[in-house]
Amino acid sequence: MRDSGAEDNPAIPFRARIMTSYIFVVIGAVLVNNVVLVRILGLCPFMGVSKKLETAIGMGAATTFVLTVGAGTSYLIDHYLLQPFDLGYLRTLAFIVVIAAIVQLTELIIQKTSPLLHQVLGIYLPLITTNCAVLGVPLLNVGLKHDLLESLLFGFGSSLGFTLALVLFAGIRERLDGADVPIAFKGTAIAMITAGFMSLAFMGFAGLDRFH
Amino acid sequence: MIHSPYVRKAVSVQRTMGLVLLALIPGIVAHALLIGPGVLVNLAISTITAVGAEALMLHLRKRPVAIAVGDLSAVVTAWLVTLCFPPIVPWWLTVCGALVAIVAVKHLYGGLGQNPFNPAMIAYCSMIVAFPALMSQWPPAGQLSFDTQLALILGGARDIDGITGATALDALRTGLRSGTQTVDAVLQGSAFGALGGRGWEWISVGYVAGGLFLLAKRIITWHMPLAFIGVLAGISTLFWLLDPGRFASPLFHLASGGAMLAAFFIVTDPVSGATTPRGKLLFAGGIALIAWLIRNFGAYPEGIAFGVLLMNMCVPLLDMKTQPPVFGHHKDAKGGGK
């Protein structure tokens, strides 16, 4: 984050300060402000694609690609198109169009390179378009006043955090298949409770993205 | 030398849990003598709540109540919840903690042996997130009379700010964050004893004694305590040698907070922890690493509980990746690699 203490600590050389602030952007996006477990974005694929570990990894990879490219492209659109012409009110619309285009591109690439993954991801690949994390991260980038590199790193870190949460969640859910969960809590109910406990655990990272 | 045939004693849940309770007693006695008997009151409250909740849940699920309550597992959970809470928390906080642990964490996942998270640690984390002030009121050694403690627990006393002091970890954090003090200067304060927090360090010794008893009885294996203590000591030694002004010594880290209780009683939870030998080492080492990070850089003074939960989340993957090959098979030939 921009307001981290590293920026105004004169004891650290400028170059090192810049590096540290970039590292903290990534750590912050992966752990401290995990896009799923702390910002509670992108719950649809988090619940939908986490029943099997393999699909979770595939979904994570696809989202990582879309989110990183989307964050960078959105920054360029916002910085060179929307802001100079004072079109900030079109931001949400513009970002959605850009992301939809990138998702289509990803789908084409995956279809050609890995038909199996394409088959496994099925309906969820087009659904990345409606993954609010993919729209949320570019909007957060604007709000946090990130520059291009920070936007890319924030997008990449957020999608790593998304993948991490998704894969860990899938591991637990695979194990829960064998648990004697009460009937009323079987399936999505116990998954939601588990997600809540995971979110609780991630609160422990609070404060780790600042330099003391 | 012992020769075969070996006669193995039946290992029952009841015996295991009974031994764990027995092993907790030295720490509890030290706690009651040094800090005050308030912990005993909260132990009673949590035990009653946990056993009651356990019986109710079993009854609701139409499971045999008497057998499952008699296995003492609910009592162990209740005791661990109380021992990681401050001893003078109001009674309703203990009740909430025990209910969260037994109902939400244990029985919603199907009861004993099926919960992916450590019940006591979920109880601690949810309560410290919900009631950070109450959960940080740790009384200094030997300064509160039993009457005061009872009044605090039962809700008779309103103003407790003047009574409680900062814990060793809290005082160190506040002192260092102010930017003007070094570790040595902070450690001169009244909250500190020879090893860690004054008074609390001897409770840690009590837990170590209990833990060694469990090791001797083979209730727990050496992997997790060793990896936990080893990694915590290793990383704190490294940073302490690099900058003793900013980082506390390994001895301080090991004797403060819940490190010893965690090393022998919490990290070693057989249900929510990793099960393979290598997985156990990684699991406990990971907890120590996260705990040290949170203690030094995080927003919470004690990070072990969050470390346990975060590593609990990794357990399915750890177990999957560290599965030893079946005897007679090559590592790369094991079926499917799962």
Side-chain angles (χ1 to χ4, degrees), chain B residues 37-55:
Chain B
V39 66
L40 301 178
V41 180
N42 266 329
L43 277 175
I45 295 172
S46 69
T47 309
I48 293 168
T49 315
V51 172
E54 173 104 346

Side-chain angles (χ1 to χ4, degrees), chain A residues 99-136:
Chain A
I99 290 161
I102 297 170
V103 170
Q104 286 306 311
L105 182 71
T106 317
E107 193 179 3
L108 282 176
I109 294 175
I110 290 183
Q111 197 172 13
K112 296 292 179 195
T113 55
S114 169
L116 183 68
L117 188 60
H118 186 258
Q119 206 179 354
V120 170
L121 292 180
I123 184 71
Y124 294 107
L125 203 55
L127 274 183
I128 291 183
T129 324
T130 60
N131 180 348
C132 55
V134 180
L135 177 63

Side-chain angles (χ1 to χ4, degrees), chain B residues 69-319:
Chain B
V69 169
D71 71 13
L72 298 177
S73 61
V75 183
V76 171
T77 308
W79 285 24
L80 290 176
V81 167
T82 303
L83 292 177
C84 57
F85 278 26
I88 49 165
V89 290
W91 62 272
W92 51 266
L93 205 64
T94 308
V95 169
C96 285
L99 283 180
V100 166
I102 295 292
V103 176
V105 190
K106 188 177 173 190
H107 278 286
L108 291 193
Y109 286 97
L112 182 67
Q114 317 204 47
N115 44 299
F117 294 101
N118 186 319
M121 293 300 97
I122 292 266
Y124 175 86
C125 289
S126 53
M127 290 304 136
I128 201 169
V129 166
F131 306 101
L134 285 174
M135 286 294 287
S136 310
Q137 309 276 7
W138 294 87
Q143 288 182 11
L144 293 188
S145 68
F146 181 55
D147 289 347
T148 323
Q149 297 200 348
L150 203 61
L152 289 168
I153 293 168
L154 299 179
R158 282 275 166 261
D159 177 34
I160 50 177
D161 285 346
I163 305 169
T164 59
T167 65
L169 284 171
D170 259 329
L172 182 67
R173 155 186 305 264
T174 321
L176 290 179
R177 294 275 162 90
S178 70
T180 52
Q181 286 180 293
T182 61
V183 170
D184 281 342
V186 179
L187 289 185
Q188 301 297 323
S190 63
F192 299 92
L195 303 173
R198 194 156 56 83
W200 295 96
E201 56 206 3
W202 300 110
I203 300 173
S204 292
V205 173
Y207 290 140
V208 174
L212 294 177
F213 168 74
L214 286 185
L215 274 174
K217 284 281 176 190
R218 304 205 179 171
I219 301 295
I220 57 176
T221 61
W222 56 269
H223 302 84
M224 295 208 198
L226 187 78
F228 179 82
I229 293 173
V231 170
L232 189 57
I235 188 163
S236 48
T237 308
L238 181 71
F239 278 83
W240 178 58
L241 290 176
L242 284 175
D243 188 355
R246 283 194 57 213
F247 295 99
S249 74
L251 204 58
F252 175 82
H253 273 289
L254 290 177
S256 301
M260 288 301 119
L261 179 66
F264 292 102
F265 294 95
I266 288 171
V267 173
T268 51
D269 174 23
V271 175
S272 58
T275 50
T276 62
R278 269 202 306 148
K280 284 180 179 178
L281 293 175
L282 290 170
F283 174 77
I287 294 172
L289 184 66
I290 296 171
W292 183 86
L293 277 174
I294 293 179
R295 276 182 176 188
N296 281 292
F297 304 108
Y300 294 96
E302 177 59 296
I304 295 176
F306 290 104
V308 170
L309 296 187
L310 289 163
M311 291 310 290
N312 278 345
M313 287 163 32
C314 305
V315 162
L317 297 181
L318 279 178
D319 278 355

